[in-house]
Amino acid sequence: MSDTETLPSIEDLKYSAGELRRDLAAQGITLSHSQSLERIAHDMGFKDWNNLSAAAGRPKDRSPVTQGDRVTGRYLGQPFTATVLDVRAAEMHARFRVTLHFDKPVDVVSFESFSSFRQRVSCTMTPEGRTPQKTSNGEPQLVLC
């Protein structure tokens, strides 16, 4: 699920998890709160509760991507296309830990006689789809288009 605008709020999702627990308890099935949150996340197509809660945060706190999305952008000035492998809410407010797998490895060295290729990158990202960390020229290390 990549359209985070249609997701319920975190409060609504937690309420749904509580309803699920109560409904199952009435049938004699015991489920912990964390198990019910995980079940809600899986039912909505997310890997786990962390990914769902990152995607369903308040509008200003929403991740620019969700797991499985196909994205394009620039990493250290080099263009890329990639698949989002993982998204997690970071400890810092309105930041997300994102892992990308590039379709083709990206050369991260600008020196002509030397190359170093990366195909998988993890970074901290803002809701605007860029890293707060900058390169020496002042540009974000990674920017999604």
Side-chain angles (χ1 to χ4, degrees), residues 37-42 45-54 67 86-88:
L37 291 171
E38 294 295 322
R39 169 108 29 113
I40 295 289
H42 292 165
F46 287 83
K47 177 182 175 184
D48 55 30
W49 170 251
N50 286 339
N51 283 287
L52 173 56
S53 64
Q67 184 180 8
D86 194 30
V87 179
R88 297 189 185 272

Side-chain angles (χ1 to χ4, degrees), residues 52-115:
L52 173 56
S53 64
R58 293 175 302 187
K60 67 177 181 171
D61 294 344
R62 290 196 179 169
S63 172
V65 294
T66 59
Q67 184 180 8
D69 282 355
R70 298 281 300 143
V71 295
T72 60
R74 296 185 72 74
Y75 176 62
L76 300 176
Q78 303 298 317
F80 70 82
T81 57
T83 301
V84 178
L85 296 180
D86 194 30
V87 179
R88 297 189 185 272
E91 291 181 18
M92 296 184 340
H93 181 68
R95 297 284 195 270
F96 303 90
R97 190 75 180 150
V98 177
T99 301
L100 301 174
H101 183 81
F102 300 137
D103 293 348
K104 295 179 184 174
V106 173
D107 190 356
V108 298
V109 176
S110 59
F111 192 60
E112 289 182 20
S113 63
F114 177 72
S115 292

Side-chain angles (χ1 to χ4, degrees), residues 2-20:
S2 62
D3 184 12
T4 58
E5 295 302 317
T6 62
L7 290 175
S9 69
I10 290 176
E11 293 78 19
D12 288 343
L13 291 167
K14 288 181 178 181
Y15 180 80
S16 295
E19 284 185 324
L20 175 63

Side-chain angles (χ1 to χ4, degrees), residues 119-137:
Q119 192 159 22
R120 186 170 292 180
V121 174
S122 292
C123 61
T124 301
M125 192 171 286
T126 66
E128 294 77 36
R130 56 188 61 232
T131 58
Q133 297 82 13
K134 310 263 190 241
T135 60
S136 60
N137 65 1

